[in-house]
Structures are given as structure tokens and as C-alpha cells.
Amino acid sequence: MKSKRLSKAKRLSLDIITTLPQPIIETILCLLPIKEAARTSILSRDWRYKWTTIPKLVFSTPDGYPIMETSKLIRAIHQVMSLRQDPIHEFTLSLHGNCFGKTGLPSCEVDQILCRLSKNHPVNKLILDFGASSDDCSYNLPFSVFSSLHHLTELYLSWCGLDHQPAFNGFGSLVVLSLDFVWISRKTLLCLLSSCPSLKSFRLIMPEDHVVGHENSTMIELFQCLPLIEHLTIWCDTIWWFVPDLVPQELPTSLIHLKYFCLEQMSFHHGYALTFLAVLIKNSPNLEKIELEIDIEHYLFNDTNYDSDVFEEYHSDVWLEHLSNVWLEHLIELKIRDFSNLEPELEFVKLILAKSPKLKKVSIKSVVKKDQEPGMLKTLLRTPRVSAVEIDVV
């Protein structure tokens, strides 16, 4: 009897879910891994094809995944896409480990998936992550991604190559673009950005050895391609692409839409980084949040001091004088990670406190020694400011 009651309760629960509106059922199925969503087809005749209508598909492998298992996943993706009854609006393909190259998958396997996707579905959000451990394992993005995916609003690319210049009409609807460890030339990057007139969020995280070619470019060229940019994240290693010398440049048009700026792996002894940051702050009158992640590997702050000659050359001439007349009228928050309390970092915080009348919070994640924290906090609290700002040091 108890077994029958449980069985009846399960059927009742299933019936309740089945009678939900289709959009709600699709939302529930989207929260499941695609393998589990497909298994719902055995529940009943009504559920046999429900999983084929979900608008979001996510396929991923963990690091170190065997290449044979990855091949099985690729075959499964082809099978899933052949059973699709409704459009795909979001698609994620994340293959980690040495998936490509001499011992991995042929690139054409993924090319076929992306070609089918671009031709048959109005994809809005595309995430491609081919995490690789060496250049030999990179994946070159096919031209079909650029030529057919006109509905894209969000594009996230990681560990793949763009070795061709995308001659296409552009992503007219693209709002978010993220490039992490992508092999690309400056010319191709600027061409891509200029083909995205609606872009509001841009992330560029790339080491120096991922730069293809030796073309020159400037900050002016970069920001001419980003007229509507609101959120910008960039890695310090990338900055030298756009700052050919240490002389700060005035942008012909202010970045009036920019509200959030994040500079990762920042070094206050990097002349190009200081120049880029100075120009950006001076030309962004509506900035609301600045976030810096400091590259502590540049500093041997345990027992030695920084190079004072480098500090004088880059910091005094390029930084302080250039920002003497800046007034950050809309800045609300400053966040700094891996703050080591060296003089250039401290002077930057002092400048922000003195130039931001609406500043509400300064969050600092410190890496100084425990016995140095009280002195650092005391200095920050005594620094003149133009707002009733909360300073949080952890």
C-alpha cells in the first residue's frame, strides 16, 4: 500500500509539472545539464520531445578530459542538434585540455557544429571556450561564425584564434564581447570592433604572446571603435598595443557612456599602463566604478623596495600632472585587489579621494604584512577627501 501511495504521489507530482506553461518547463530544463534534460524523455509520452525545445544548450568537458570521451561528446552534439525542433538562442561549447593539434580532434569536427548552428538557428548568446595549454592546441574560428550569426547580442571567445580579417557586415546587435586568450592581430581586432556599432561591454584579456602581427595602433583608434562603451575590462599586458609612447593622448571624443572600468594585472611602474589609465580617467566624465587588480609579481615588497628611478620617470611626469585638473563627479566606488601600499598605489588612492565628491566606498584587498596594516589604514583614514566615503581594508 505504501509503495502504491508513493507511486501515486510521484505521478501526481509529474502531472503538476507537465501542466505548467511551456516557457516554465523550458526554464526548468535549461537548468539541467543537457544529458539530464534528455533523460526526461523516458518519463512519459508527453515528455519524449520536450527537451528538444529548450532554447539553451551547454556542452562542456573538464580539464584533463580524455580525447576519446571528447570525441563521444562531439558525436552527441551532432545527434542533439539533429533532433532540434525549436530555435537555439544560447549555445555554449567548452572543451578543455589538449583537444586540438596532432593528438586531438581535427578542427573540422567543431567547424561542422558551428556551421550548422550559424545556418539554422538565430543564436543570441554564443560562448566558445577551448582552454589550451599550448599554441599547438589552439582552435581557429571559422569564417561562418562571422558570416551567418547576425542575431548575436553576446559573444564570449576563449583560447581560439582569429587569423583572418573578418570581412563581413558586422554584428549589428552585439552588445557584449569578451576575448580571453585569443590569438588576434590589432588590425583584425579593430576591424571586429568597428563592425559592432552597438557594443556596450568589452573585455580584452590577452598576454603579449597572443598578439599576431606587428601593426601599430593607438588609443584613439581603439576608442573610436567603442563609441557606446559602458563597461570595459582590459589586461595590462594588452595596453602596449594602444600606447606607442609615454606621452598621454587626448581623445577627440569623450567616453561619455563609460561607467565601469577594470584594469587587471595593473603595474604602477608600467609607463604604458599609467598613460592608458590617465587618459581613460581624464576622458570618462561619467565613470561610476573603477576596479584595479594589481600584479604583485612586479613588486618584491617583502624585503626590498621598488625601483625609485622608474617611479620618478613614469609616475611624476605621466600620472600626477596629467590628472591635476580631473574631477570625477560621478564616481561611486573604487575597488583595488592585491594592494601592497607602495607609494604610487597610495598616491592613486589619495588622488581618487580628493577628486570624487560622490564617492561612497573604497574597497581594498591588501597583501601587506600584518604589522604594516595599522599604519596603512591610519594613512588612508587621514587622507583628505571630498565625500563621506567608507574605506574598507581586508
Side-chain angles (χ1 to χ4, degrees):
M1 289 294 294
K2 185 177 181 181
S3 176
K4 290 183 178 180
R5 286 197 300 269
L6 288 175
S7 178
K8 185 177 181 181
K10 287 182 179 179
R11 289 197 303 271
L12 180 60
S13 175
L14 181 60
D15 290 339
I16 291 174
I17 297 176
T18 304
T19 57
L20 290 173
Q22 182 66 15
I24 295 180
I25 293 178
E26 289 180 358
T27 301
I28 294 173
L29 292 174
C30 282
L31 296 175
L32 296 173
I34 187 63
K35 188 175 182 180
E36 299 301 323
R39 285 177 175 173
T40 61
S41 61
I42 67 173
L43 293 177
S44 69
R45 183 179 300 173
D46 291 336
W47 280 83
R48 185 169 298 170
Y49 297 107
K50 284 187 181 296
W51 72 276
T52 65
T53 66
I54 58 178
K56 177 181 177 181
L57 296 181
V58 178
F59 301 95
S60 65
T61 63
D63 289 332
Y65 204 60
I67 189 63
M68 291 298 296
E69 295 300 319
T70 303
S71 297
K72 290 181 182 178
L73 175 64
I74 295 296
R75 289 196 295 271
I77 294 173
H78 283 297
Q79 184 177 7
V80 168
M81 295 186 69
S82 67
L83 294 172
R84 288 296 307 182
Q85 294 184 348
D86 286 48
I88 300 171
H89 295 299
E90 295 186 24
F91 186 84
T92 297
L93 180 59
S94 179
L95 303 179
H96 287 191
N98 297 334
C99 294
F100 303 99
K102 296 179 181 179
T103 60
L105 294 169
S107 295
C108 62
E109 293 280 2
V110 178
D111 288 351
Q112 292 172 8
I113 293 173
L114 296 179
C115 183
R116 174 181 284 182
L117 185 72
S118 61
K119 288 183 177 180
N120 301 327
H121 299 279
V123 182
N124 302 126
K125 181 177 180 179
L126 178 63
I127 301 175
L128 301 176
D129 180 5
F130 305 107
S133 58
S134 68
D135 292 358
D136 294 336
C137 302
S138 64
Y139 171 75
N140 287 317
L141 211 61
F143 186 75
S144 60
V145 173
F146 298 99
S147 60
S148 303
L149 292 171
H150 304 303
H151 300 277
L152 276 182
T153 57
E154 299 180 48
L155 176 61
Y156 303 84
L157 302 177
S158 298
W159 291 98
C160 59
L162 291 174
D163 59 358
H164 53 76
Q165 189 168 334
F168 67 116
N169 294 329
F171 298 125
S173 302
L174 197 69
V175 176
V176 178
L177 175 63
S178 177
L179 304 177
D180 283 21
F181 295 90
V182 172
W183 284 266
I184 190 172
S185 70
R186 280 165 279 196
K187 184 177 181 180
T188 300
L189 175 65
L190 293 176
C191 179
L192 176 60
L193 293 177
S194 63
S195 302
C196 305
S198 303
L199 200 63
K200 294 183 178 180
S201 178
F202 178 47
R203 171 183 166 92
L204 183 64
I205 305 296
M206 291 173 56
E208 183 177 338
D209 59 0
H210 281 225
V211 181
V212 179
H214 303 282
E215 308 98 340
N216 293 322
S217 55
T218 66
M219 286 184 70
I220 293 176
E221 291 177 303
L222 173 64
F223 288 114
Q224 280 178 338
C225 299
L226 301 169
L228 302 180
I229 196 68
E230 296 180 4
H231 294 77
L232 176 65
T233 298
I234 194 165
W235 209 22
C236 192
D237 266 10
T238 313
I239 285 175
W240 69 270
W241 289 18
F242 306 106
V243 186
D245 52 47
L246 295 179
V247 180
Q249 304 175 66
E250 295 291 338
L251 300 181
T253 305
S254 294
L255 304 173
I256 59 174
H257 300 285
L258 189 63
K259 298 178 180 179
Y260 169 83
F261 173 63
C262 177
L263 184 54
E264 296 194 5
Q265 297 296 297
M266 168 67 179
S267 170
F268 279 88
H269 292 175
H270 190 311
Y272 298 110
L274 288 175
T275 301
F276 188 95
L277 188 55
V279 173
L280 187 136
I281 289 177
K282 189 171 184 179
N283 289 274
S284 304
N286 297 312
L287 262 181
E288 296 179 0
K289 182 176 181 179
I290 298 174
E291 188 168 349
L292 303 179
E293 179 189 35
I294 297 175
D295 183 5
I296 58 176
E297 292 184 1
H298 278 248
Y299 306 137
L300 301 176
F301 54 82
N302 290 326
D303 299 304
T304 58
N305 294 322
Y306 57 85
D307 189 334
S308 59
D309 293 336
V310 174
F311 167 75
E312 290 297 332
E313 178 185 355
Y314 290 160
H315 185 261
S316 298
D317 296 339
V318 177
W319 180 251
L320 294 179
E321 294 179 12
H322 194 60
L323 292 177
S324 59
N325 296 322
V326 166
W327 191 247
L328 297 171
E329 187 175 352
H330 298 282
L331 192 68
I332 297 174
E333 183 178 359
L334 170 66
K335 186 175 183 179
I336 302 179
R337 299 191 298 274
D338 297 330
F339 185 82
S340 55
N341 199 37
L342 296 181
E343 186 177 351
E345 301 171 10
L346 190 58
E347 291 198 16
F348 172 70
V349 176
K350 289 179 178 179
L351 182 140
I352 295 298
L353 291 173
K355 301 286 186 177
S356 310
K358 294 183 180 179
L359 192 64
K360 294 181 180 180
K361 186 172 185 178
V362 173
S363 301
I364 296 177
K365 182 180 179 182
S366 169
V367 292
V368 303
K369 296 179 179 179
K370 289 292 183 181
D371 59 349
Q372 296 175 340
E373 287 182 356
M376 178 187 71
L377 186 57
K378 187 176 181 180
T379 300
L380 290 172
L381 292 175
R382 287 183 174 180
T383 298
R385 66 206 61 189
V386 291
S387 67
V389 58
E390 172 191 350
I391 299 179
D392 183 21
V393 179
V394 295

